[in-house]
Amino acid sequence: MKNDKKGQQYRVNEQIRVREVRIVGDGESMVLPTRQALDMARQQGVDLVEISPNANPPVCRLIDYSKFLYQQKKRAKEMKAKQVKQEVKEIRFGPQTDDHDYNFKLKHAKEFLEEGNKVRAYVFFRGRSILFKEQGEVLLLRFANDLEEYGKVEQMPSLEGKKMFLYISPKKAGVAKKSQQKLDREKREAEAKEISKQAQKAAQDNPVEDAPANGGLFANIKGGDELLKKLKGEE
């Protein structure tokens, strides 16, 4: 067992001083005296690692401690990658925003909320336009109502200096946007699977010895020439 340089998070081997433990692994579990569990670990050339100290009896695994830590770090990294980072997106209005501009900003707000981000919408009152603060409040309330399906109001319109703010949080967890590179790769993989599927079907319907020499099995598939080019990477 290698030393954990960041400080041990789990009790291992002789550090486990309870009378008995539950060993889990491969869909099975059994309760053994701790001394017997340590003997098993030594015989298998692994460590006795306590993974659930508050259980009765504590739950342990027979595994190389370094490998166990690697698995834990990998799992934590995967969980972090799946999480969507929430940002606060700002939408700015004037007190007399026209319908075209309003609908344009409403569309963006819907996209922000669908991605799991918060929206901070505000009306900026320049100079004497502060006289239209009631008009600004009506605009923000209309905005909140139009986004009812996508988010929920965290804070009703409130005036702070020359700005009136409205905060809306997403109703659903966001879905991380895929990069164009990833989308292109997934498209290529789907096309390759479809080509393989059609080729297998053609192979079943047409024995190799009967297939035309030029183009092989793909000559028997609808659009076979195009599929063959894709498979060869000519496109």
Side-chain angles (χ1 to χ4, degrees), residues 15 85 91 98 101 107 120 174 195:
Q15 295 173 352
K85 183 179 179 181
I91 301 288
D98 60 36
D101 191 29
K107 177 184 175 183
R120 177 170 63 188
I195 291 170

Side-chain angles (χ1 to χ4, degrees), residues 86-90 109 112-113 115-121 154 167-170:
Q86 189 178 66
E87 299 179 7
V88 178
K89 302 290 188 176
E90 283 196 343
F112 294 150
L113 291 169
E115 291 167 11
N117 299 307
K118 289 186 178 183
V119 170
R120 177 170 63 188
E154 278 192 355
Y167 292 85
I168 302 176
S169 60

Side-chain angles (χ1 to χ4, degrees), residues 9-216:
Q9 306 172 45
Y10 305 90
R11 284 196 285 261
V12 183
N13 297 330
E14 274 71 21
Q15 295 173 352
I16 304 170
R17 297 189 178 127
V18 294
R19 188 180 64 176
E20 59 184 15
V21 294
R22 180 181 296 277
I23 306 295
V24 296
D26 297 326
E28 299 178 350
S29 71
M30 54 184 172
V31 176
L32 297 173
T34 304
R35 181 53 53 190
Q36 185 178 343
L38 286 168
D39 290 340
M40 286 179 63
R42 278 192 287 268
Q43 290 170 8
Q44 296 179 25
V46 294
D47 300 298
L48 181 67
V49 182
E50 185 183 62
I51 60 173
S52 183
N54 296 325
N56 186 23
V59 179
C60 298
R61 286 184 62 190
L62 298 174
I63 188 172
D64 180 89
Y65 186 54
S66 298
K67 181 180 179 181
F68 174 75
L69 288 178
Y70 171 76
Q71 290 176 347
Q72 295 297 103
K73 289 176 183 177
K74 184 179 179 182
R75 190 175 293 111
K77 187 176 180 181
E78 290 173 349
M79 291 293 293
K80 186 177 180 181
K82 290 180 181 178
Q83 292 177 347
V84 178
K85 183 179 179 181
Q86 189 178 66
E87 299 179 7
V88 178
K89 302 290 188 176
E90 283 196 343
I91 301 288
R92 172 177 169 169
F93 293 102
Q96 296 177 317
T97 299
D98 60 36
D99 286 342
H100 176 76
D101 191 29
Y102 175 86
N103 290 327
F104 178 78
K105 292 177 179 179
L106 179 65
K107 177 184 175 183
H108 281 289
K110 289 177 180 178
E111 291 174 355
F112 294 150
L113 291 169
E114 285 181 330
E115 291 167 11
N117 299 307
K118 289 186 178 183
V119 170
R120 177 170 63 188
Y122 68 93
V123 179
F124 179 67
F125 300 98
R126 189 188 303 273
R128 297 186 64 184
S129 66
I130 191 69
L131 297 173
F132 299 99
K133 63 181 181 180
E134 289 185 3
Q135 190 171 333
E137 183 178 10
V138 169
L139 187 150
L140 290 177
L141 290 173
R142 173 191 172 192
F143 193 63
N145 185 65
D146 288 343
L147 292 171
E148 187 177 7
E149 286 184 36
Y150 304 87
K152 52 188 177 183
V153 175
E154 278 192 355
Q155 180 181 315
M156 294 298 285
S158 62
L159 188 63
E160 299 176 22
K162 293 184 177 181
K163 295 179 181 179
M164 181 175 287
F165 289 96
L166 169 73
Y167 292 85
I168 302 176
S169 60
K171 278 190 174 181
K172 299 178 181 178
V175 178
K177 276 189 173 180
K178 294 181 180 179
S179 67
Q180 189 59 46
Q181 184 179 7
K182 187 171 182 181
L183 289 171
D184 291 342
R185 185 175 69 250
E186 290 179 352
K187 182 180 178 181
R188 289 195 299 271
E189 290 173 353
E191 288 177 347
K193 286 181 181 179
E194 182 62 24
I195 291 170
S196 176
K197 182 180 178 181
Q198 293 192 38
Q200 289 175 7
K201 185 177 185 302
Q204 293 172 357
D205 297 340
N206 301 276
V208 175
E209 58 269 23
D210 296 333
N214 184 19

